[in-house]
Amino acid sequence: MLYEFYEWNHAVLAPFRAVADATKAIYQNPMNPMAHTEMGRTVAAMAELFERTTRVYGKPSFDLHDTFVDGMRVPVIDKPVWRKPFAELLHFERALPEGRKPDPRFLIVAPMSGHYATLLRGTVEALLPYGEIYITDWQDARTVPVSAGRFDLDSYVDYVIDMLRFLGPGVNVIGVCQPAVPVMMAVARMEEDGDPCHPATMTLMGGPIDTRVNPTAVNKLAEAKGIDWFRQNVIMKVPFPQAGCMREVYPGFLQLTGFMSMNLDRHLIAHKDFFWHLVENDGDSAEKHRTFYDEYNAVMDLTAEFYLQTVEEVFIKHSLPRGTITHHGKRLDMGQIRRTALLTVEGENDDISGVGQTRAAHDLCRNIPDDMRVHYLQPKVGHYGVFNGSRFRAEIAPRIVDFALTHGHRAAPKADVAHEARDEAGLQPPPALEGASLPEDAVVSAVAVSGDVSLDAGARASSPFEDPATDASVPSFIPPPAVGEDDGLSGAPILLDAVRKSKKSER
């Protein structure tokens, strides 16, 4: 009944939001003399604050329209190139000159943990100058009809495998946070089956590979409550008239309530400050608040079977590090991974995936040669700083690109391997796939890190999470974390001199 009450509440408030919108428009109209007075701005601020705190926030857009490649600004268009009921594969297509040799391809597997893939906007933006970027765009479960079937952890792994097969050999897959586990499972299955589309490299960032190592409050809560508590307290059915009516889900609004309640006083202060910024006509500060909460309040439902299976297998049973994880009933052995290079990244202050939890992947992937594995611990960042923010751009993203260039040549893509998957989907082949390869002279052995050099003339801070003044609880699979990590604003983005030199040598 709680989900029904939530929907009913928003329906009841709809006319009041319309009145608030009209009031705001009237008192902000420059033709209205009141708009230029403190009283007029106060009325408009009250109306906007009411409307924003009672609306249902829709799915954000990436808004990445250009990037810099080899010192030139080029347009970028994001478009779906692969689609199934619970996900689309978005490609950020860059308008590159004809005849230019292809860059490495990256498949970013975004978390399915409440917020949309746009949470990784900064991750995509930092990698765009140096590769063809694809990202998983997971769908809100309440928009998927029950007739589309179930979606659990096994389905997640299937989707990752299908995407890798669609893109063909030589892809560099990146699992950010929660997807680290299913990405490992997918690669292990592909390696065991001898699939030629196995990725060239696998980068796991802040993922819960082994939550027994340095357990955080999130990990302890999952073990303390047990799976029955989650099943009884957070699982609900989608109400009519949503497309996913009667589907069992972990509702997004319930997740958001948990995020907010963890630091309610901070959110209240942020909204109070927003009100006074509007009254004082401080447009920049007000816009920063809008940008942050437009993203933060946009949440999606998760299918009950995926959520519960992940909680049980990853956080309670620890099936992956114990070697008992299965895919459609068949046990997976991470030791089967031999040909895919492994890079793991952790944050020194991560309070979601504790230090050492992601590094555990190296122990499990015991048969990857030593020269094909790297672990990196980023100082002075928390969970969000592992995949976004200034230190990510300056110190982590260059290492990801360097790793892909170093090991990508081991599995150069071939044009005919993924044709069958693309033909079945009725889609066009991804750009820069046909005949793509990375010459050995493009391998970069080192990347200079300098906080004084800009990544690009057009590099920008695309995420409000970077600002400590507006930082708030970063989404976690279970439950929300504490607030206040320092993303590290002191460093500036860097210039990948070594990468660019290798590109010039290719031309």
Side-chain angles (χ1 to χ4, degrees):
M1 290 297 295
L2 182 59
Y3 207 148
E4 287 81 355
F5 176 77
Y6 169 80
E7 291 287 301
W8 175 83
N9 180 64
H10 277 284
V12 168
L13 289 174
F16 296 97
R17 287 196 296 274
V19 171
D21 265 338
T23 302
K24 173 189 170 184
I26 291 171
Y27 281 90
Q28 286 186 339
N29 191 323
M31 301 299 292
N32 182 355
M34 290 291 292
H36 307 286
T37 67
E38 183 174 338
M39 179 179 177
R41 292 194 298 270
T42 300
V43 173
M46 292 173 61
E48 181 172 354
L49 190 60
F50 173 80
E51 190 278 329
R52 291 187 61 84
T53 55
T54 57
R55 77 161 70 157
V56 177
Y57 287 78
K59 180 180 179 180
S61 59
F62 277 94
D63 288 331
L64 297 175
H65 305 298
D66 55 65
T67 188
F68 275 76
V69 179
D70 297 335
M72 298 183 298
R73 186 189 296 272
V74 297
V76 175
I77 299 176
D78 61 280
K79 61 181 184 181
V81 294
W82 178 96
R83 183 181 294 111
K84 279 193 173 182
F86 290 93
E88 291 182 342
L89 181 62
L90 292 184
H91 175 216
F92 292 84
E93 184 176 313
R94 304 171 299 169
L96 299 176
E98 291 187 7
R100 184 180 183 276
K101 289 190 177 181
D103 291 325
R105 292 168 297 139
F106 294 93
L107 169 59
I108 302 175
V109 183
M112 182 186 277
S113 56
H115 281 69
Y116 291 93
T118 50
L119 199 66
L120 304 187
R121 183 184 292 105
T123 315
V124 173
E125 185 178 31
L127 296 176
L128 262 178
Y130 311 106
E132 291 292 337
I133 308 300
Y134 301 81
I135 192 169
T136 58
D137 190 16
W138 303 108
Q139 301 301 304
D140 188 341
R142 75 175 190 162
T143 67
V144 183
V146 175
S147 60
R150 291 165 49 87
F151 184 89
D152 56 13
L153 183 58
D154 291 337
S155 307
Y156 196 120
V157 174
D158 292 339
Y159 271 48
V160 174
I161 292 175
D162 288 348
M163 292 177 191
L164 287 170
R165 294 199 70 248
F166 171 77
L167 294 174
V171 172
N172 303 280
V173 65
I174 302 175
V176 181
C177 189
Q178 166 264 322
V181 171
V183 165
M184 273 191 72
M185 293 171 63
V187 175
R189 168 49 59 89
M190 296 179 79
E191 289 267 43
E192 182 178 356
D193 294 345
D195 196 318
C197 295
H198 72 90
T201 69
M202 173 173 58
T203 299
L204 307 179
M205 306 173 65
I209 301 300
D210 188 352
T211 58
R212 300 172 301 176
V213 179
N214 193 18
T216 64
V218 173
N219 311 143
K220 294 175 182 177
L221 177 70
E223 288 191 329
K225 294 295 185 182
I227 195 62
D228 290 335
W229 183 90
F230 290 97
R231 183 178 291 109
Q232 295 168 8
N233 289 276
V234 304
I235 301 303
M236 302 175 187
K237 289 187 176 180
V238 178
F240 180 83
Q242 300 299 329
C245 179
M246 299 307 294
R247 179 181 293 280
E248 288 194 331
V249 297
Y250 177 20
F253 78 87
L254 200 59
Q255 301 170 56
L256 183 61
T257 301
F259 300 153
M260 302 283 277
S261 64
M262 291 290 288
N263 296 275
L264 184 59
D265 55 341
R266 189 163 187 170
H267 289 290
L268 290 174
I269 292 172
H271 282 77
K272 181 195 71 173
D273 292 342
F274 173 62
F275 173 82
W276 287 113
H277 290 322
L278 292 172
V279 173
E280 295 165 3
N281 209 22
D282 184 354
D284 289 342
S285 297
E287 187 57 31
K288 183 179 291 187
H289 176 97
R290 293 189 191 100
T291 302
F292 173 80
Y293 279 100
D294 283 352
E295 184 83 46
Y296 189 77
N297 291 332
V299 289
M300 57 187 285
D301 293 1
L302 309 180
T303 62
E305 57 272 18
F306 167 74
Y307 178 75
L308 293 175
Q309 186 181 358
T310 302
V311 170
E312 184 171 26
E313 297 295 333
V314 176
F315 295 95
I316 297 178
K317 290 184 177 180
H318 311 291
S319 298
L320 183 63
R322 286 177 173 167
T324 59
I325 196 78
T326 61
H327 178 236
H328 294 300
K330 183 179 180 181
R331 182 173 295 185
L332 293 175
D333 179 10
M334 300 303 115
Q336 294 288 341
I337 304 176
R338 303 171 183 270
R339 299 172 295 171
T340 300
L342 174 63
L343 168 64
T344 55
V345 181
E346 294 180 332
E348 181 183 35
N349 302 325
D350 194 335
D351 58 354
I352 304 302
S353 298
V355 174
Q357 292 186 9
T358 310
R359 184 172 187 169
H362 290 278
D363 296 329
L364 299 176
C365 300
R366 56 190 179 277
N367 291 321
I368 297 178
D370 289 343
D371 64 344
M372 293 174 58
R373 59 170 77 232
V374 174
H375 175 72
Y376 177 65
L377 177 65
Q378 175 61 50
K380 300 180 181 180
V381 300
H383 187 69
Y384 192 79
V386 170
F387 55 88
N388 221 324
S390 58
R391 284 198 169 93
F392 170 78
R393 294 189 299 270
E395 302 179 46
I396 298 176
R399 286 176 167 85
I400 296 174
V401 175
D402 176 41
F403 194 72
L405 288 170
T406 302
H407 299 283
H409 70 287
R410 298 175 184 265
K414 298 178 182 178
D416 57 347
V417 180
H419 280 183
E420 181 180 347
R422 288 198 295 272
D423 291 342
E424 182 179 346
L427 298 167
Q428 296 298 318
L433 175 62
E434 304 298 332
S437 63
L438 289 175
E440 301 219 9
D441 62 358
V443 174
V444 181
S445 60
V447 178
V449 176
S450 169
D452 299 324
V453 187
S454 175
L455 176 67
D456 286 303
R460 59 186 183 274
S462 60
S463 172
F465 285 92
E466 296 180 36
D467 187 352
T470 58
D471 191 15
S473 300
V474 178
S476 166
F477 199 71
I478 54 159
V483 171
E485 72 172 69
D486 178 10
D487 178 49
L489 301 178
S490 58
I494 72 163
L495 178 66
L496 290 174
D497 289 326
V499 175
R500 288 182 174 172
K501 288 177 181 177
S502 70
K503 292 181 185 294
K504 290 179 181 178
S505 67
E506 291 178 32
R507 295 197 298 273

